[in-house]
Amino acid sequence: MNNSIKVFAPATVANVVCGYDVLGFAVNAPGDEVIMKVKDTKGIFISKITGDDGKLPLNPEKNTVSASVQHYLNHIGHPDFGIDIELHKKMPIGSGLGSSSASTVAGLFAINTLFNNILTAKELVPFAMKGEELACGYGHADNVAPALMGGFVLIRSYEPLDIISLPFPEDLHAAIVYPEVDVPTKDARQMIRSKVLLKDAVIQWGNVAGLVSGLFMKDYELIGRSMTDVLVEPTRAILIPDFYVLRQLALNAGAIGFGISGSGPSVFALTRNADEAHKITEQLQNHLKKMAINSLSFVSEVNKKGPIIID
Ligand code: HSE
Protein backbone atom coordinates (compact mmCIF):
# COMPACT_ATOMS: atom_id res chain seq x y z
CA MET A 1 0.00 0.00 0.00
CA ASN A 2 1.23 3.52 -0.90
CA ASN A 3 1.64 5.97 1.96
CA SER A 4 0.88 9.09 -0.04
CA ILE A 5 -1.05 9.96 -3.17
CA LYS A 6 -1.98 13.09 -5.13
CA VAL A 7 -5.17 13.06 -7.19
CA PHE A 8 -6.82 15.46 -9.63
CA ALA A 9 -10.60 15.32 -10.17
CA PRO A 10 -12.40 17.27 -12.88
CA ALA A 11 -15.06 19.96 -12.92
CA THR A 12 -18.43 18.99 -14.34
CA VAL A 13 -21.36 20.55 -16.16
CA ALA A 14 -24.52 19.25 -14.49
CA ASN A 15 -28.06 19.30 -15.90
CA VAL A 16 -26.86 19.93 -19.51
CA VAL A 17 -29.83 22.32 -19.69
CA CYS A 18 -32.84 19.96 -19.84
CA GLY A 19 -31.71 17.19 -17.46
CA TYR A 20 -32.02 18.74 -14.00
CA ASP A 21 -30.30 16.35 -11.54
CA VAL A 22 -30.13 13.56 -14.14
CA LEU A 23 -27.52 14.57 -16.74
CA GLY A 24 -23.92 15.76 -16.49
CA PHE A 25 -20.52 15.59 -18.14
CA ALA A 26 -16.94 16.06 -17.03
CA VAL A 27 -14.39 18.47 -18.51
CA ASN A 28 -10.58 18.31 -18.49
CA ALA A 29 -10.13 21.64 -16.71
CA PRO A 30 -10.56 23.13 -14.22
CA GLY A 31 -10.51 20.66 -11.32
CA ASP A 32 -9.27 20.16 -7.77
CA GLU A 33 -6.36 18.31 -6.21
CA VAL A 34 -6.18 16.26 -3.04
CA ILE A 35 -3.00 14.98 -1.39
CA MET A 36 -3.73 12.11 0.98
CA LYS A 37 -1.18 10.70 3.40
CA VAL A 38 -1.23 7.82 5.83
CA LYS A 39 -0.37 8.88 9.38
CA ASP A 40 0.16 7.08 12.69
CA THR A 41 -2.56 8.85 14.67
CA LYS A 42 -5.95 7.26 13.95
CA GLY A 43 -8.73 9.41 12.50
CA ILE A 44 -9.30 11.68 9.50
CA PHE A 45 -7.57 15.06 9.52
CA ILE A 46 -7.53 18.03 7.19
CA SER A 47 -4.12 19.65 7.53
CA LYS A 48 -4.34 22.22 4.75
CA ILE A 49 -6.75 23.84 2.30
CA THR A 50 -5.48 26.27 -0.32
CA GLY A 51 -7.28 28.31 -2.98
CA ASP A 52 -10.52 28.70 -1.02
CA ASP A 53 -10.01 32.17 0.48
CA GLY A 54 -10.66 30.61 3.88
CA LYS A 55 -14.24 29.65 2.90
CA LEU A 56 -14.06 25.89 3.48
CA PRO A 57 -14.16 24.19 6.89
CA LEU A 58 -11.10 22.39 8.25
CA ASN A 59 -13.36 20.50 10.66
CA PRO A 60 -13.37 16.93 9.24
CA GLU A 61 -17.06 16.46 10.05
CA LYS A 62 -18.06 19.55 8.09
CA ASN A 63 -15.75 19.29 5.12
CA THR A 64 -17.23 17.38 2.16
CA VAL A 65 -13.95 15.60 1.35
CA SER A 66 -13.30 14.20 4.81
CA ALA A 67 -16.99 13.53 5.47
CA SER A 68 -17.29 11.37 2.36
CA VAL A 69 -14.01 9.61 3.15
CA GLN A 70 -15.50 8.90 6.58
CA HIS A 71 -18.57 7.32 4.94
CA TYR A 72 -16.28 5.23 2.75
CA LEU A 73 -14.33 3.98 5.79
CA ASN A 74 -17.58 3.28 7.67
CA HIS A 75 -18.45 1.00 4.76
CA ILE A 76 -15.18 -0.82 4.15
CA GLY A 77 -13.92 -0.86 7.76
CA HIS A 78 -11.69 1.55 9.66
CA PRO A 79 -7.92 1.07 9.31
CA ASP A 80 -5.50 1.07 12.26
CA PHE A 81 -3.85 4.22 10.94
CA GLY A 82 -4.97 7.76 10.27
CA ILE A 83 -5.57 9.74 7.08
CA ASP A 84 -4.28 13.25 6.48
CA ILE A 85 -5.90 15.31 3.72
CA GLU A 86 -4.63 18.40 1.91
CA LEU A 87 -7.16 20.02 -0.43
CA HIS A 88 -5.94 22.35 -3.15
CA LYS A 89 -8.83 24.20 -4.77
CA LYS A 90 -7.97 24.99 -8.35
CA MET A 91 -11.42 26.16 -9.33
CA PRO A 92 -13.89 28.75 -8.05
CA ILE A 93 -16.31 27.80 -5.28
CA GLY A 94 -20.04 28.30 -5.96
CA SER A 95 -19.41 28.55 -9.68
CA GLY A 96 -21.83 25.91 -10.96
CA LEU A 97 -18.92 23.77 -12.14
CA GLY A 98 -19.19 21.08 -9.49
CA SER A 99 -16.56 22.58 -7.21
CA SER A 100 -17.47 20.62 -4.06
CA SER A 101 -17.95 17.54 -6.21
CA ALA A 102 -14.42 17.77 -7.70
CA SER A 103 -12.90 17.98 -4.20
CA THR A 104 -15.02 15.14 -2.82
CA VAL A 105 -14.34 12.91 -5.80
CA ALA A 106 -10.58 13.56 -5.60
CA GLY A 107 -10.67 12.51 -1.93
CA LEU A 108 -12.70 9.38 -2.55
CA PHE A 109 -10.56 8.34 -5.50
CA ALA A 110 -7.46 8.85 -3.34
CA ILE A 111 -8.71 6.76 -0.40
CA ASN A 112 -9.99 4.04 -2.73
CA THR A 113 -6.62 3.93 -4.48
CA LEU A 114 -4.84 3.64 -1.11
CA PHE A 115 -7.14 0.66 -0.46
CA ASN A 116 -6.25 -0.98 -3.79
CA ASN A 117 -9.43 0.06 -5.58
CA ILE A 118 -11.79 -2.05 -3.51
CA LEU A 119 -14.73 -0.21 -5.09
CA THR A 120 -15.38 0.74 -8.73
CA ALA A 121 -15.92 4.37 -9.77
CA LYS A 122 -19.66 3.73 -9.98
CA GLU A 123 -19.69 2.18 -6.52
CA LEU A 124 -18.05 5.33 -5.12
CA VAL A 125 -20.95 7.53 -6.32
CA PRO A 126 -23.18 7.05 -3.22
CA PHE A 127 -20.30 8.12 -0.94
CA ALA A 128 -19.68 11.21 -3.07
CA MET A 129 -23.41 12.00 -2.91
CA LYS A 130 -23.05 12.25 0.88
CA GLY A 131 -20.57 15.07 0.26
CA GLU A 132 -23.09 16.86 -1.97
CA GLU A 133 -25.73 16.46 0.71
CA LEU A 134 -23.42 18.20 3.14
CA ALA A 135 -22.57 20.94 0.63
CA CYS A 136 -26.04 21.87 -0.58
CA GLY A 137 -28.61 19.90 1.40
CA TYR A 138 -29.38 17.30 -1.27
CA GLY A 139 -27.26 14.40 -2.50
CA HIS A 140 -27.64 14.92 -6.22
CA ALA A 141 -25.36 12.80 -8.42
CA ASP A 142 -25.19 14.76 -11.68
CA ASN A 143 -21.81 16.31 -10.76
CA VAL A 144 -20.21 13.50 -8.76
CA ALA A 145 -21.09 10.66 -11.16
CA PRO A 146 -19.44 12.24 -14.25
CA ALA A 147 -16.52 13.50 -12.09
CA LEU A 148 -15.91 9.91 -10.92
CA MET A 149 -16.68 8.07 -14.15
CA GLY A 150 -15.69 10.65 -16.77
CA GLY A 151 -17.74 11.28 -19.90
CA PHE A 152 -21.47 11.97 -20.17
CA VAL A 153 -23.61 10.37 -17.49
CA LEU A 154 -27.35 9.82 -17.03
CA ILE A 155 -28.84 9.22 -13.58
CA ARG A 156 -31.81 7.14 -14.73
CA SER A 157 -33.02 6.70 -11.16
CA TYR A 158 -32.01 7.77 -7.64
CA GLU A 159 -33.93 5.06 -5.76
CA PRO A 160 -32.49 2.65 -6.57
CA LEU A 161 -29.43 4.42 -7.96
CA ASP A 162 -29.10 3.60 -11.66
CA ILE A 163 -26.30 5.37 -13.49
CA ILE A 164 -25.66 5.03 -17.22
CA SER A 165 -22.56 6.16 -19.14
CA LEU A 166 -23.60 7.70 -22.44
CA PRO A 167 -21.63 7.87 -25.68
CA PHE A 168 -20.90 11.30 -27.17
CA PRO A 169 -19.41 12.67 -30.40
CA GLU A 170 -15.58 12.72 -30.20
CA ASP A 171 -15.34 16.32 -31.41
CA LEU A 172 -17.77 17.73 -28.86
CA HIS A 173 -16.29 20.66 -26.88
CA ALA A 174 -17.57 22.80 -24.05
CA ALA A 175 -17.07 26.58 -23.88
CA ILE A 176 -17.54 27.63 -20.27
CA VAL A 177 -17.69 31.14 -18.86
CA TYR A 178 -17.88 31.87 -15.16
CA PRO A 179 -19.15 35.39 -14.42
CA GLU A 180 -17.82 36.27 -10.99
CA VAL A 181 -21.14 36.70 -9.22
CA ASP A 182 -22.09 34.60 -6.21
CA VAL A 183 -24.76 31.87 -6.61
CA PRO A 184 -24.72 29.26 -3.82
CA THR A 185 -26.18 25.95 -5.06
CA LYS A 186 -28.33 25.68 -1.93
CA ASP A 187 -30.09 28.97 -2.75
CA ALA A 188 -30.32 28.18 -6.46
CA ARG A 189 -32.08 24.91 -5.59
CA GLN A 190 -34.49 26.51 -3.15
CA MET A 191 -35.76 29.03 -5.70
CA ILE A 192 -37.05 26.39 -8.13
CA ARG A 193 -40.75 25.56 -8.20
CA SER A 194 -41.34 22.12 -6.69
CA LYS A 195 -44.48 21.45 -8.77
CA VAL A 196 -44.57 21.39 -12.55
CA LEU A 197 -47.38 21.45 -15.08
CA LEU A 198 -47.93 18.32 -17.13
CA LYS A 199 -47.61 20.31 -20.36
CA ASP A 200 -44.15 21.49 -19.22
CA ALA A 201 -43.15 17.98 -18.14
CA VAL A 202 -44.05 16.74 -21.63
CA ILE A 203 -41.73 19.33 -23.20
CA GLN A 204 -38.97 18.50 -20.72
CA TRP A 205 -38.91 14.72 -21.09
CA GLY A 206 -39.12 15.09 -24.86
CA ASN A 207 -35.95 17.18 -24.69
CA VAL A 208 -34.12 14.83 -22.31
CA ALA A 209 -34.89 11.90 -24.59
CA GLY A 210 -33.90 14.04 -27.60
CA LEU A 211 -30.57 15.00 -26.06
CA VAL A 212 -29.72 11.40 -25.14
CA SER A 213 -30.73 10.25 -28.65
CA GLY A 214 -28.62 13.03 -30.18
CA LEU A 215 -25.58 11.88 -28.19
CA PHE A 216 -26.08 8.28 -29.37
CA MET A 217 -26.69 9.34 -32.97
CA LYS A 218 -23.89 11.95 -32.93
CA ASP A 219 -26.50 14.34 -34.31
CA TYR A 220 -25.44 17.89 -33.37
CA GLU A 221 -28.70 19.46 -34.58
CA LEU A 222 -30.75 17.14 -32.41
CA ILE A 223 -28.46 17.75 -29.41
CA GLY A 224 -28.80 21.50 -29.94
CA ARG A 225 -32.57 21.69 -30.27
CA SER A 226 -32.98 19.43 -27.23
CA MET A 227 -30.96 21.81 -25.03
CA THR A 228 -34.12 23.58 -23.93
CA ASP A 229 -35.34 23.83 -20.35
CA VAL A 230 -38.82 25.03 -19.42
CA LEU A 231 -38.64 23.97 -15.75
CA VAL A 232 -35.52 25.39 -14.13
CA GLU A 233 -33.74 27.80 -16.46
CA PRO A 234 -36.56 30.40 -16.60
CA THR A 235 -36.25 30.82 -12.82
CA ARG A 236 -32.48 30.64 -12.50
CA ALA A 237 -31.73 32.83 -15.53
CA ILE A 238 -32.36 35.93 -13.42
CA LEU A 239 -29.27 35.08 -11.32
CA ILE A 240 -27.03 35.44 -14.35
CA PRO A 241 -26.29 38.90 -15.76
CA ASP A 242 -27.73 39.25 -19.30
CA PHE A 243 -28.28 35.49 -19.58
CA TYR A 244 -30.44 35.73 -22.71
CA VAL A 245 -28.02 38.12 -24.41
CA LEU A 246 -25.16 35.70 -23.65
CA ARG A 247 -27.20 32.87 -25.14
CA GLN A 248 -27.87 34.78 -28.35
CA LEU A 249 -24.20 35.71 -28.67
CA ALA A 250 -23.18 32.06 -28.25
CA LEU A 251 -25.74 30.74 -30.72
CA ASN A 252 -24.84 33.45 -33.28
CA ALA A 253 -21.19 32.39 -32.92
CA GLY A 254 -22.09 28.80 -33.85
CA ALA A 255 -22.88 27.10 -30.52
CA ILE A 256 -24.81 23.85 -30.83
CA GLY A 257 -26.67 24.74 -27.63
CA PHE A 258 -26.26 26.99 -24.61
CA GLY A 259 -27.38 27.08 -21.00
CA ILE A 260 -26.59 27.33 -17.31
CA SER A 261 -23.89 25.02 -15.99
CA GLY A 262 -25.29 23.23 -12.94
CA SER A 263 -26.90 25.80 -10.66
CA GLY A 264 -24.91 28.67 -12.20
CA PRO A 265 -23.65 31.31 -12.46
CA SER A 266 -21.36 29.62 -15.01
CA VAL A 267 -22.84 29.26 -18.46
CA PHE A 268 -21.69 26.86 -21.14
CA ALA A 269 -22.07 26.19 -24.83
CA LEU A 270 -21.50 22.93 -26.65
CA THR A 271 -19.54 23.29 -29.88
CA ARG A 272 -18.21 21.12 -32.69
CA ASN A 273 -14.56 22.06 -32.08
CA ALA A 274 -12.15 24.03 -29.88
CA ASP A 275 -11.90 27.05 -32.23
CA GLU A 276 -15.64 27.72 -32.04
CA ALA A 277 -15.51 27.27 -28.29
CA HIS A 278 -12.70 29.85 -27.94
CA LYS A 279 -14.58 32.29 -30.18
CA ILE A 280 -17.64 31.93 -27.96
CA THR A 281 -15.84 32.39 -24.64
CA GLU A 282 -14.16 35.52 -26.04
CA GLN A 283 -17.47 37.06 -27.11
CA LEU A 284 -19.21 36.23 -23.83
CA GLN A 285 -16.33 37.56 -21.76
CA ASN A 286 -16.23 40.78 -23.80
CA HIS A 287 -19.92 41.27 -23.15
CA LEU A 288 -19.50 40.69 -19.40
CA LYS A 289 -16.54 43.07 -19.35
CA LYS A 290 -18.77 45.80 -20.82
CA MET A 291 -21.01 45.27 -17.80
CA ALA A 292 -17.96 45.52 -15.50
CA ILE A 293 -18.27 41.84 -14.53
CA ASN A 294 -15.05 39.85 -14.23
CA SER A 295 -15.14 36.36 -15.64
CA LEU A 296 -13.07 33.24 -16.17
CA SER A 297 -13.32 30.93 -19.15
CA PHE A 298 -12.50 27.31 -19.87
CA VAL A 299 -12.53 25.35 -23.12
CA SER A 300 -12.41 21.58 -22.98
CA GLU A 301 -13.28 18.37 -24.69
CA VAL A 302 -15.52 16.05 -22.74
CA ASN A 303 -13.25 14.44 -20.13
CA LYS A 304 -13.09 10.68 -20.64
CA LYS A 305 -11.02 9.62 -17.64
CA GLY A 306 -12.53 11.06 -14.48
CA PRO A 307 -10.02 11.43 -11.61
CA ILE A 308 -6.32 10.74 -12.22
CA ILE A 309 -3.30 10.16 -10.01
CA ILE A 310 -0.82 12.96 -10.56
CA ASP A 311 1.89 11.85 -8.11
N1 HSE B 1 -28.47 19.50 -10.54
C1 HSE B 1 -27.88 20.41 -9.60
C2 HSE B 1 -28.68 21.70 -9.59
C3 HSE B 1 -26.46 20.70 -10.02
O1 HSE B 1 -29.05 22.17 -10.68
O2 HSE B 1 -28.97 22.23 -8.51
C4 HSE B 1 -25.74 21.63 -9.09
O3 HSE B 1 -24.45 21.90 -9.63
Side-chain angles (χ1 to χ4, degrees), residues 14-15 20-21 96 98 140 142-143 185 188-189 192 232 236 261-263:
N15 301 339
Y20 178 71
D21 279 0
H140 60 96
D142 49 342
N143 290 112
T185 298
R189 291 185 74 85
I192 302 169
V232 177
R236 283 182 171 171
S261 174
S263 56

Side-chain angles (χ1 to χ4, degrees), residues 32-52:
D32 281 345
E33 290 172 12
V34 160
I35 299 172
M36 192 171 278
K37 291 184 187 136
V38 169
K39 60 188 275 173
D40 292 338
T41 323
K42 278 195 192 179
I44 302 170
F45 306 88
I46 302 200
S47 57
K48 194 182 207 177
I49 303 179
T50 63
D52 69 328

Side-chain angles (χ1 to χ4, degrees), residues 45 57 81 85 96 128 141 154 165 189 194 243-244 253 263 274 284 311:
F45 306 88
F81 50 79
I85 297 169
L154 166 70
S165 281
R189 291 185 74 85
S194 57
F243 174 77
Y244 293 102
S263 56
L284 301 191
D311 244 345

Side-chain angles (χ1 to χ4, degrees), residues 71-152:
H71 282 290
Y72 174 92
L73 293 177
N74 290 348
H75 177 77
I76 67 152
H78 284 264
D80 55 6
F81 50 79
I83 299 288
D84 178 75
I85 297 169
E86 275 183 33
L87 169 60
H88 299 285
K89 295 292 304 172
K90 305 274 176 172
M91 59 187 287
I93 295 170
S95 54
L97 294 172
S99 174
S100 58
S101 155
S103 305
T104 302
V105 163
L108 279 170
F109 188 83
I111 190 80
N112 195 46
T113 307
L114 290 180
F115 281 90
N116 296 321
N117 299 308
I118 292 180
L119 300 184
T120 63
K122 204 188 259 192
E123 286 167 344
L124 290 175
V125 173
F127 303 100
M129 287 167 67
K130 292 281 186 193
E132 294 294 70
E133 200 176 325
L134 191 60
C136 76
Y138 181 72
H140 60 96
D142 49 342
N143 290 112
V144 291
L148 274 163
M149 297 161 64
F152 250 94

